[in-house]
């Protein structure tokens, strides 16, 4: 009898079960660290600018370069874990992430900081798909949904709490060098995570040791395609003129070439980087689309809101981070709940969660409109709490449903592609919402008006995600029951 079928009243976990849940704690700690670094730097940029005399171009690469290399590494790293072992890939990624974090903190100049930041993002991209792959490998049925619920909690909390943690560190260590501790904080956590991972993560992976091609041509085509698509998005504010948008059709051609090559690899009996057959699973295809569109609407919230508070209202880094805390609290409460509810109600939970996000964003727009000045953050606290609650009900259940029918042997690459969709969505959302925000600010010089228009743009993207979720409402049973057990679940 599987662990998912054990009686609810069992007094004590077995040693093997306890080890799995402790291993999950290690994975979630790593996920928290890598995702925290996508937002913790936001409030540290003024401190970096003063401390290193960094240019606006340098600051842009410190912020967006991490997202770029993170997204670039995800699918190849997931495939590497599937083929050569997720434990080893996790350990190498965490070691590199810790070393490069130290390099960021010790950087003597802005150019060195950019280099280490790019390397740190690539290391984070090596770690991240191993987390979802290990969850697929270690858990099945309702336990897997619960584990993904905890992962969803981490995603929501780490993204929202980043500005608060960054603000606390800068306040504690000073404006001149406080930014260095934004990176140094990863060192003790990373070392502890490495020691625990060495002891707890499963040593045998389903595919480890199988001799299959890593598909270097596929890696090259996908990498060039992702970079070409993401570059104009992450550099939208720094690269002036319309010529940068020519990279988007070029990137689309490269990704089309990747699609053709992967199909060819499969037809001739070679091992592709990514199994295109996964996109024939309606749950996976629509789930990845929903994730991309939702992250396009969800991620820019913290970008424009932090800008509004710090630059428009004169909040300190700590105060701006504290203002984002209600969203993190709402997400923390609901993500665990969503992980349980998705087993019974399926995609309906995602639709409900996205509805709450839409209501929360609309309420934030209304709060800023009705309460101008320094009290705006207080007025927006309750709507942000509602948006965070909805986000927790959206991310984890969608991840569970999207990966439910994916064979464990493909879990790393499938999780990597899902997260690549999220990263591309985040970059596109920040570019679009940021463009609307700065254009309105330049024409009207109204910080509240710019924030409201930016949030309404984000709200439109969330409504598109609701459309995708509703389209998938009748398909929860089309590929694989979420709560069912799989023959591959144990690897």
């Amino acid at each position: 009898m599987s662990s998912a079928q054990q009686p609810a009243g069992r007094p004590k976990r077995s040693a093997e079960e306890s080890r799995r849940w402790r291993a999950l704690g290690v994975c979630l700690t790593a996920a928290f660290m890598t995702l925290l670094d996508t937002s913790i730097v936001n409030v540290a940029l003024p401190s970096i600018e003063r401390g290193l005399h960094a240019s606006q171009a340098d600051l842009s690469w410190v912020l967006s370069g991490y997202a770029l290399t993170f997204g670039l590494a995800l699918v190849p790293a997931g495939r590497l874990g599937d083929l050569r072992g997720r434990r080893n890939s996790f350990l190498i990624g965490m070691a590199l992430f810790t070393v490069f974090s130290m390099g960021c903190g010790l950087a003597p100049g802005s150019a060195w900081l950019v280099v280490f930041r790019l390397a740190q993002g690539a290391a984070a991209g090596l770690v991240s798909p191993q987390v979802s792959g290990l969850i697929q490998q270690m858990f099945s049925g309702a336990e897997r949904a619960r584990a993904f619920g905890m992962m969803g909690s981490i995603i929501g909390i780490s993204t929202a709490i980043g500005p608060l943690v960054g603000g606390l560190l800068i306040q504690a260590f000073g404006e001149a060098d406080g930014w260095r501790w934004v990176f140094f904080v990863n060192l003790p956590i990373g070392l502890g995570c490495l020691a625990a991972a060495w002891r707890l993560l499963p040593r045998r992976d389903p595919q480890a040791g199988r001799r299959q091609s890593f598909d270097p041509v596929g890696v090259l085509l996908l990498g060039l395609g992702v970079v070409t698509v993401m570059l104009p998005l992450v550099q939208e504010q720094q690269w002036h003129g319309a010529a940068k948008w020519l990279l988007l059709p070029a990137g689309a051609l490269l990704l089309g070439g990747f699609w053709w090559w992967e199909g060819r690899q499969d037809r001739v009996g070679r091992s592709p980087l990514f199994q295109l057959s996964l996109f024939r699973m309606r749950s996976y295809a629509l789930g990845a689309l929903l994730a991309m569109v939702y992250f396009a609407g969800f991620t820019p919230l913290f970008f424009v809101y932090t800008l509004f508070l710090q630059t428009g209202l004169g909040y300190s880094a700590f105060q701006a981070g504290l203002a984002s805390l209600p969203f993190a609290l709402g997400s923390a409460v609901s993500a665990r709940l969503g992980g349980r509810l998705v087993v019974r109600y399926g995609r309906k939970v995602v639709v409900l969660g996205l509805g709450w996000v839409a209501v929360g964003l609309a309420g934030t727009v209304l709060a800023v409109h009705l309460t101008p000045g320094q009290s705006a953050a207080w007025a927006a606290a309750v709507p942000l709490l509602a948006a965070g609650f909805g986000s927790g009900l959206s991310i984890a259940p969608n991840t569970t449903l999207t990966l439910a029918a994916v064979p464990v042997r493909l879990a790393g690459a499938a999780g990597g592609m899902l997260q690549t969709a999220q990263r591309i969505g985040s970059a596109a959302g920040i570019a679009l919402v940021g463009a609307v925000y700065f254009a309105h600010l330049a024409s009207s010089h109204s910080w509240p008006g710019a924030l409201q228009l930016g949030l309404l743009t984000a709200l439109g993207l969330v409504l598109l995600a609701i459309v995708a979720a509703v389209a998938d409402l009748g398909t929860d049973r089309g590929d694989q029951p979420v709560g069912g057990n799989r023959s591959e679940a144990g690897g």
Side-chain angles (χ1 to χ4, degrees):
M1 181 162 52
S2 73
S3 55
Q5 297 173 308
Q6 294 284 358
R10 184 179 54 188
K12 181 175 166 180
R13 285 177 177 170
S14 68
E16 187 273 336
E17 186 180 3
S18 178
R19 182 189 181 93
R20 281 191 293 119
W21 286 104
R22 283 183 289 148
L24 175 64
V26 174
C27 292
L28 296 183
T29 301
F32 180 82
M33 283 178 62
T34 56
L35 291 171
L36 185 73
D37 268 59
T38 62
S39 61
I40 193 174
V41 177
N42 286 6
V43 296
L45 293 179
S47 177
I48 294 172
E49 182 178 19
R50 286 188 291 269
L52 294 181
H53 306 290
S55 67
Q56 285 300 313
D58 292 333
L59 294 177
S60 171
W61 277 105
V62 168
L63 187 62
S64 61
Y66 182 88
L68 183 65
T69 52
F70 193 140
L72 181 62
L74 285 166
V75 176
R79 182 63 173 160
L80 179 67
D82 289 342
L83 293 181
R84 298 293 181 259
R86 299 182 184 110
R87 178 180 181 270
N88 291 340
S89 300
F90 181 96
L91 289 169
I92 293 169
M94 276 305 303
L96 291 174
F97 183 84
T98 304
V99 169
F100 293 141
S101 293
M102 182 173 65
C104 288
L106 294 174
S110 57
W112 280 106
L113 178 59
V114 169
V115 169
F116 281 118
R117 184 72 169 152
L118 292 170
Q120 187 195 33
L126 177 55
V127 172
S128 195
Q130 315 313 329
V131 174
S132 58
L134 283 163
I135 289 175
Q136 292 278 89
Q137 179 182 333
M138 294 189 296
F139 299 96
S140 63
E143 280 194 336
R144 183 182 290 174
R146 182 183 169 197
F148 275 126
M150 297 169 72
M151 181 179 168
S153 234
I154 291 298
I155 292 173
I157 293 171
S158 59
T159 306
I161 209 172
L164 174 60
V165 175
L168 279 170
L169 291 169
I170 290 170
Q171 181 164 299
F173 294 100
E175 286 286 334
D177 290 317
W179 66 268
R180 296 185 184 275
W181 289 92
V182 165
F183 302 107
F184 285 151
V185 73
N186 291 332
L187 303 187
I189 303 173
L191 291 173
C193 195
L194 274 170
W198 182 268
R199 187 168 58 90
L200 293 172
L201 293 188
R203 293 179 178 271
R204 189 180 68 84
D205 285 344
Q207 292 290 95
R210 294 193 186 182
R211 295 191 175 277
Q212 298 185 41
S213 167
F214 190 62
D215 188 12
V217 175
V219 171
L220 181 64
L221 286 171
L222 180 63
L224 288 174
V226 170
V227 168
T228 308
V229 167
M230 288 187 68
L231 261 179
L233 298 175
V234 300
Q235 291 291 292
E236 194 274 333
Q237 292 299 315
Q238 284 67 40
W239 290 1
H240 302 292
K244 61 178 176 283
W245 300 117
L246 294 175
L247 289 173
L248 292 181
L253 284 174
L254 286 165
L255 292 176
F258 167 75
W259 188 277
W260 172 83
W261 174 261
E262 295 301 284
R264 178 184 178 277
Q265 289 287 92
D266 205 20
R267 286 192 300 272
V268 301
R270 295 177 184 166
S271 180
L273 175 67
F274 181 80
Q275 287 284 349
L276 297 179
S277 59
L278 288 173
F279 283 120
R280 291 198 289 270
M281 296 178 182
R282 186 178 174 92
S283 60
Y284 185 83
L286 271 177
L289 174 65
L290 191 155
M292 182 169 66
V293 178
Y294 175 63
F295 270 72
F298 147 70
T299 312
L301 166 63
F302 306 103
F303 174 63
V304 295
Y305 191 54
T306 303
L307 275 176
F308 166 71
L309 293 176
Q310 285 190 271
T311 312
L313 299 185
Y315 279 36
S316 68
F318 170 69
Q319 289 171 324
L322 195 62
S324 301
L325 189 58
F327 188 100
L329 292 175
S331 182
V333 168
S334 64
R336 298 284 292 275
L337 177 65
R340 293 196 297 270
L341 292 178
V342 70
V343 177
R344 179 178 297 181
Y345 298 108
R347 189 68 70 187
K348 297 182 183 70
V349 179
V350 180
V351 175
L352 176 65
L354 292 173
W356 272 105
V357 175
V359 169
L361 285 177
T364 303
V365 171
L366 186 62
V368 173
H369 177 72
L370 296 177
T371 314
Q374 293 286 320
S375 300
W378 286 104
V382 172
L384 284 176
L385 182 69
F389 185 84
S391 187
L393 287 179
S394 305
I395 296 174
N398 183 61
T399 302
T400 302
L401 293 167
T402 303
L403 298 177
V406 173
V408 172
R409 63 186 175 83
L410 302 175
M417 186 63 80
L418 176 62
Q419 292 180 63
T420 300
Q422 293 172 354
R423 300 280 74 79
I424 291 175
S426 296
I430 289 174
L432 175 61
V433 174
V436 170
Y437 178 89
F438 288 115
H440 186 80
L441 188 62
S443 63
S444 69
H445 304 288
S446 168
W447 293 98
L451 177 66
Q452 291 169 53
L453 200 57
L455 291 183
L456 286 173
T457 306
L459 174 59
L461 293 167
V462 172
L463 293 177
L464 286 177
I466 292 177
V467 172
V470 170
D472 199 33
L473 267 180
T475 67
D476 290 337
R477 296 182 300 275
D479 296 316
Q480 177 75 24
V482 175
N485 288 321
R486 304 177 46 82
S487 60
E488 290 185 294

